[in-house]
């Protein structure tokens, strides 16, 4: 049985579209509150019992029997996976990794040290000591995500990167292991779920890390939320989304295929088109109806388009830009004649794809920017994953006696005004005795 | 009744010190889980009822009767506060603000746009639209914190900064309002607690913001944790701490006063000294015993030193540095002859104060770096608050047809390997028709 396609289509001045916007106003990511009690129990148990608990949960949830010595994937297994993976795929991974490295290197924050005669002010930028990357198991495996999560940490200078992934009945996907080799992961452990997050956060059964990144199911998301504070985490990702802004210089088939490429992910994926060219929505809808039967995952795509898809015609490009900023989309394609000019009106988006020859897939795999992007409107305040997420900063202050004398009045006035007179005394003592 | 001082003192090879380190191993910030249900109810109520709920909670928790028109502090009241505040204090605020601006300006991330013949890759750095700053009320008011939270957002280019603070029976502290004027806050609302956080996060009764920063009690902290995801938040701050590394070139009185200046904050504050100079701990302890009776808040300081204070003598400076990295302190003073050299061994600290003339108070008020710093060992993965916390990044990708043709093989290979064939189709369609 094939799913029919029925996709919402509005003109932006239609009151029904106003209602849609009210209902779909950005509210950030969903909570994982319903699984919290179960996840909290796993976290506490792993924290208390370490490896023993990891082995039990892996038996229970993954149906795989491990012992303390088989928890880590050996160097031999990893090299074997790299040899076994199809060489055309490994070459593609290497090409992607090369381009990702080149781009991510431009994003490493730099410190500074400004030395004056009587004072030095600076900021050190120091990589985290150890980072954990979660890689989901299951049928759909995403070696590209291994590259996207690991390489920015490597480029930031993190000395040790640990990967965890649940072992399926058939073992870990060779292409995922190959991607770990290409990206330069230091250690790989076959453990997943909330138990892996706990082990990394508390150093219970696995090396303790400073940050945990990578996508996962709702148990993994809840676990990351609960260990936040003990370690750093990346954002909790919601369903993936694309917003295409297009005028009638765009090929309706190309736009439709880009919408389908988002919709094929899963039934929660969100594909939206906004155009200011009269009649263009109809053309794209017809392309969707036709092309959705050409693609392999057409049923999934038609379901997600019917549930979450949207085609909107506005009165102007300006109005389309304003709507785009309200959506603050994860992926934003601008398939229009003056894409570069329109970009100037964008305030909120995870990644922007400009022109007719930049389908989202370019950025998903090889362009260089990260495909780990803020979802659910969180591009209002969040950024693509990058090396800046794997460093931390340290302020440096050095006053000589002259600088302290010069600023003593302001410091002691403010300290005393706040009732923190020992703060003032720490300055007075030095200035007086000097 | 005065509190006696009794402070823990160890040599680092003492097994008891080993036990201390085990017990005080870094575990991040405390959870606020016990107040979560009460806070969740307030969040839901404010989200549903907006201003009406804000007025009711302000009546109940602050004992202050407001109406919709008195929720916002008027321009006249704010200018009046600036005129009424002692001019020496306003001048000190202005001096601090000037130095904070000069330093923070060096920390604004810059984007880039790399245009090649057939592809453009870049990253935009865009300020958030609106930021909320929480300023605690109560007896102790900290105008310096207003500067430290607001100025980095202003420097980042945030167009609108909204401040919320609970109204006491005597109104908002004039010096806090004066600091808001000096820092350039756009709007001030007299509302605090979890209700203020909810209103900012959901745009219910107050302007909706993209990020909420600033310290608060456990209800405020719990509320920030719960709205995380719908908005961005800063770290949940734990008790303030100082770690002093010193050799015997330091004046024991100066070191003692710096420890006291941390300890005077409150009874949870943490002051620690590590030295590699034999006998130096004893000298500092004697200074603490004497000076703690000279300072205004001596009782509080002696209580916090007795509860959380620590004096340690190590066998070497290297050992002291290794311990400092294990603590990952919020504030780290290096009061030693070769402070600049020792800095090279530091991997984890919020802010470092070098040499004998840089007491922590310098950085608390006027130096320029932020006094909002990672506590509780979170300097392993967190940074001082800065302009980088108030911007977000957007990747920009533009491929021309030639670039797409060049990379098509790698993209389609990876997309197909991941089973996302419509991703591949979106490339094939363009390359084929081109």
């Amino acid at each position: 049985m094939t799913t029919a396609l029925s996709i919402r289509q509005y003109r932006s001045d239609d009151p029904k579209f106003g209602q849609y916007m009210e209902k779909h106003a950005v509210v950030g990511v969903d909570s994982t509150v319903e699984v919290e009690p179960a996840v909290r129990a796993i976290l506490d148990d792993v924290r208390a019992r370490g490896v023993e608990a990891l082995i039990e949960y892996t038996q229970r949830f993954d149906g795989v029997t491990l012992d303390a010595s088989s928890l880590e994937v050996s160097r031999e297994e990893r090299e074997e996976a790299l040899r076994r993976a199809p060489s055309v795929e490994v070459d593609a991974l290497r090409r992607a990794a090369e381009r990702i490295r080149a781009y991510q290197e431009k994003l490493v924050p730099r410190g500074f040290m400004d030395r004056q005669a009587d004072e030095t002010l600076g900021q050190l930028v120091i990589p985290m000591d150890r980072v954990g990357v979660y890689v989901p198991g299951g049928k759909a495996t995403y070696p590209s995500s291994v590259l996207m999560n690991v390489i920015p940490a490597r480029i930031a200078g993190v000395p040790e990167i640990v990967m965890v992934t649940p072992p399926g009945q058939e073992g870990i996907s060779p292409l995922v292991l190959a991607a770990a080799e290409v990206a330069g992961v230091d250690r790989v452990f076959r453990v997943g779920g909330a138990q892996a997050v706990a082990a990394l956060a508390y150093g219970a059964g696995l090396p303790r890390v400073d940050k945990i990144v990578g996508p996962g199911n709702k148990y993994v998301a809840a676990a990351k939320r609960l260990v936040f504070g003990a370690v750093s985490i990346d954002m909790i990702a919601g369903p993936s989304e694309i917003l295409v802004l297009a005028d009638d210089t765009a090929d309706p088939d190309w736009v439709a295929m880009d919408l389908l490429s988002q919709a094929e992910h899963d039934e929660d994926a969100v594909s939206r088109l906004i155009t200011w060219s009269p009649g263009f929505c109809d053309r794209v809808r017809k392309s969707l109806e036709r092309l959705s039967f050409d693609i392999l995952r057409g049923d999934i795509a038609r379901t997600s388009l019917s549930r979450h898809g949207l085609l909107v015609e506005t009165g102007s490009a300006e109005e389309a830009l304003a709507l785009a900023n309200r959506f603050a989309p994860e992926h934003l394609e601008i398939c229009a004649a003056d894409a570069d000019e329109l970009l100037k009106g964008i305030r909120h988006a995870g990644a922007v794809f400009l022109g007719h020859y930049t389908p989202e897939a370019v950025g998903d795999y090889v362009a260089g920017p990260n495909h780990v992007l803020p979802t659910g409107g969180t591009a209002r305040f969040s950024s693509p994953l990058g090396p800046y997420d794997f460093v931390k900063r340290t302020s440096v202050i050095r006053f000589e006696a002259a600088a302290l004398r010069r600023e003593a009045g302001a410091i002691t006035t403010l300290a005393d005004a706040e009732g923190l007179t020992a703060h003032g005394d720490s300055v007075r003592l030095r200035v007086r005795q000097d």
Side-chain angles (χ1 to χ4, degrees), chain A:
Chain A
M1 199 196 88
T2 53
T3 317
L5 175 65
S6 100
I7 183 167
R8 275 181 209 81
Q9 186 175 340
Y10 301 108
R11 284 183 50 100
S12 61
D13 54 6
D14 182 341
K16 279 196 196 133
F17 178 64
Q19 287 161 23
Y20 173 93
M21 285 305 289
E22 294 254 317
K23 204 170 142 196
H24 291 78
V26 175
V27 289
V29 277
D30 281 335
S31 152
T32 48
V33 71
E34 77 278 9
V35 300
E36 263 191 34
V39 168
R40 210 183 283 274
I42 295 172
L43 299 188
D44 291 345
D45 191 27
V46 171
R47 192 174 196 167
R49 296 196 298 133
V51 174
E52 201 185 321
L54 293 180
I55 291 169
E56 279 181 31
Y57 287 115
T58 304
Q59 178 74 63
R60 192 190 312 170
F61 297 132
D62 304 300
V64 172
T65 306
L66 299 176
D67 56 37
S69 70
S70 58
L71 198 59
E72 181 163 5
V73 179
S74 70
R75 181 109 296 283
E76 297 69 42
E77 279 173 274
R78 295 173 56 188
E79 285 163 6
E80 170 71 12
L82 191 60
R83 275 193 303 272
R84 271 173 46 209
S87 69
V88 62
E89 293 179 2
V90 173
D91 287 347
L93 284 173
R94 289 198 204 281
R95 174 67 181 159
E98 180 192 344
R99 289 190 54 112
I100 296 166
R101 277 187 203 109
Y103 177 87
Q104 300 291 327
E105 265 165 10
K106 302 191 181 181
L107 305 181
V108 181
R110 307 283 168 203
F112 76 96
M113 198 63 66
D114 181 13
R115 294 177 204 278
Q116 302 293 329
D118 62 4
E119 59 174 288
T120 296
L121 294 177
Q123 192 179 60
L124 307 177
V125 176
I126 303 174
M128 295 176 193
D129 280 346
R130 194 186 287 128
V131 163
V133 176
Y134 190 95
V135 176
K139 276 167 292 178
T141 56
Y142 299 113
S144 63
S145 285
V146 176
L147 304 186
M148 292 292 186
N149 279 282
V150 172
I151 293 175
R154 193 94 282 172
I155 292 293
V158 173
E160 188 175 351
I161 300 171
V162 171
M163 182 174 125
V164 293
T165 190
Q169 300 285 353
E170 294 101 49
I172 301 169
S173 143
L175 203 57
V176 161
L177 282 181
E181 289 301 291
V182 168
V185 169
D186 295 291
R187 302 180 72 180
V188 180
F189 294 91
R190 53 182 117 242
V191 55
Q195 59 274 22
V197 174
L200 292 173
Y202 305 133
L206 292 182
R208 177 174 167 218
V209 302
D210 299 310
K211 183 159 195 157
I212 301 173
V213 298
N217 63 21
K218 64 182 171 178
Y219 295 92
V220 172
K224 281 167 67 181
R225 201 178 269 275
L226 288 170
V227 299
F228 166 64
V231 289
S232 176
I233 60 167
D234 57 357
M235 287 298 291
I236 310 287
S240 194
E241 341 131 24
I242 191 172
L243 174 61
V244 181
L245 296 186
D247 65 15
D248 55 14
T249 67
D251 184 318
D253 275 4
W254 297 7
V255 168
M257 193 58 90
D258 297 353
L259 295 171
L260 287 166
S261 79
Q262 193 61 41
E264 77 170 335
H265 269 288
D266 56 61
E267 291 158 358
D268 294 326
V270 182
S271 303
R272 296 180 173 120
L273 165 71
I274 303 179
T275 181
W276 49 98
S277 294
F280 192 73
C281 281
D282 287 332
R283 275 176 272 161
V284 172
R285 202 189 57 243
K286 288 196 186 90
S287 294
L288 285 171
E289 281 163 358
R290 178 168 38 83
L291 293 171
S292 76
F293 290 92
D294 291 350
I295 65 172
L296 222 58
R297 296 161 68 91
D299 271 343
I300 294 173
R302 279 190 301 279
T303 302
S304 78
L305 284 173
S306 300
R307 285 189 191 165
H308 308 289
L310 177 71
L311 309 175
V312 183
E313 185 187 314
T314 64
S316 69
E318 293 65 40
E319 196 193 335
L321 286 171
L323 275 177
N325 284 324
R326 281 181 68 188
F327 283 116
E330 181 189 14
H331 303 99
L332 175 68
E333 285 187 9
I334 308 185
C335 305
D338 49 355
D340 288 49
E341 191 56 32
L342 291 168
L343 175 64
K344 295 176 187 162
I346 293 301
R347 286 191 58 82
H348 310 299
V352 184
F353 303 79
L354 296 173
H356 297 308
Y357 290 91
T358 322
E360 189 204 305
V362 165
D364 290 340
Y365 294 107
V366 306
N370 213 302
H371 76 198
V372 180
L373 294 166
T375 59
T378 58
R380 289 191 298 121
F381 49 76
S382 299
S383 302
L385 191 70
Y388 35 78
D389 291 306
F390 298 103
V391 299
K392 67 271 182 352
R393 299 152 186 266
T394 298
S395 310
V396 177
I397 310 174
R398 181 183 181 111
F399 267 29
E400 309 304 333
L404 189 62
R405 271 195 303 272
R406 190 181 63 233
E407 306 299 339
I411 301 171
T412 56
T413 297
L414 291 173
D416 294 351
E418 293 187 350
L420 299 173
T421 50
H423 282 65
D425 293 338
S426 73
V427 173
R428 282 183 281 263
L429 205 56
R430 284 162 164 94
V431 171
R432 195 186 307 145
Q433 294 194 357
D434 181 51

